[in-house]
Amino acid sequence: MLVDSASPTEITRMTRIAIFSTKLYDREYFDAANESHSFKLKYFEASLSLETAQLADGFETVCVFVNDDLNSGVIERLSEQGVQTIALRCAGFNNVDLEAAKQHGLRVVRVPAYSPHAVAEHAVALLLSLNRHLHRAYNRVRDGNFSLNGLVGFDMAGKTVGIVGTGKIGATFARIMAGFGCELLGFDKYENDDCKMLGLRYVELSELLVRSEIISLHCPLTEETYHLIDEQAIEVMKQGAVILNTGRGAVLDTKAVIAGLKQGKIGALGIDVYEEEAGLFFEDRSEKVLADDVLARLLTFPNVLITGHQGFLTHEALTAIAETTLANVAAIQTGECENEVDR
Ligand code: NAI
């Protein structure tokens, strides 16, 4: 808390927020959202790490994104510098050591839902591009090659789609797949009635893996879901199964997936997240040599489509992210915030 006697408006005016990993689009949407708050925003291009934590000296709040590293060392440093709040401008919080935050009295807020449509629709974009080979057709046609050889896809109607994690994004994806006339299977710790209304049937993960032609991952990254899709999981899948991951990279064991692709077991892979994406994604590295051999190998497959964690990148989602993040900071400065991450 800043000053006990200050009004909520005065408090927001005094609150300084250090926004890390800033891109042009972050500035644009945060500046617009801040018109109704008047926080003192300072944008840093650098991501938050032990080396850059000192930039947050004098700020009450740090605002971070998916690949900022809030390990215990960083949190200790932030706490020494007087930071009181970590405002995640994303849903996932796997990059924050919550135990360390609790120990140092830092409160953590997040944006649990900004636009499930943005991510679910991106998963659909990956799926349709892969199925109908749009990424290859685009290059062919531009090169004057109108041959259709190798571009055979499949009808979506009637296919079985397995959804791992049927929360907000998974349920939105399920709704779109239902529209295509797909059979829906789901695996989750908790059943979602909206999904059941669509005709989705909850099954064990093993059954989902065995029966699905398309498997889409929408669960968070936790100890339980780390490498959920590994060699054994791939082994029981249908020949030619399509895997989509717009959740978090490490839910997939990338090396096992590469082996599955090489054997032809995996028919296509669409990923928006990669387990080693930190330090790589969100930057233009086109003039540098790619040192990550696993990603380099993935890029060689014609049936793999990779995007650089852009599932959230829609106008609606960016607006909601900026507005909710600043509302979270305002709420936490003046009392309770419904989007505080449980400690
Ligand atoms: P949500 O919290 O609404 O849904 C997650 C679902 O996963 C819940 O139903 C939960 O019960 C389930 N789950 C948790 N542990 C599980 C387990 N061990 N096995 C099966 N299911 C499990 O979250 P939401 O908004 O749907 O987001 C899902 C994930 O998508 C996020 O955690 C985040 O990692 C990722 N995401 C990716 C984005 C991108 O730009 N690619 C943007 C936003 C989120």
Side-chain angles (χ1 to χ4, degrees), residues 17 29-41 43 322 326:
I17 308 178
Y29 284 90
F30 270 86
D31 281 345
N34 198 34
E35 280 174 18
S36 48
H37 288 282
S38 309
F39 285 117
K40 289 190 168 65
L41 306 182
Y43 297 104
L326 296 186

Side-chain angles (χ1 to χ4, degrees), residues 90-92 94 110 112-114 116 119 122 164-171 187-190 217-222 224-225 228 245-248 272-273 309-313:
C90 54
N94 52 285
R110 67 178 183 126
Y114 40 87
V119 186
H122 190 72
V164 179
T166 56
K168 290 175 284 296
I169 297 171
F187 171 68
D188 200 307
K189 295 163 89 169
Y190 306 98
L217 306 176
H218 299 288
C219 58
L221 175 62
T222 61
E224 258 179 329
T225 61
L228 189 72
N245 188 10
T246 55
R248 284 289 179 268
D272 186 46
V273 286
H309 208 139
Q310 67 173 80
F312 69 98
L313 205 68

Side-chain angles (χ1 to χ4, degrees), residues 41-70:
L41 306 182
K42 173 87 179 164
Y43 297 104
F44 296 106
E45 279 181 33
S47 58
L48 180 56
S49 66
L50 210 46
E51 288 71 45
T52 60
Q54 63 185 30
L55 293 170
D57 199 9
F59 290 84
E60 288 79 30
T61 299
V62 291
C63 175
V64 295
F65 196 48
V66 290
N67 290 329
D68 290 298
D69 184 6
L70 288 109

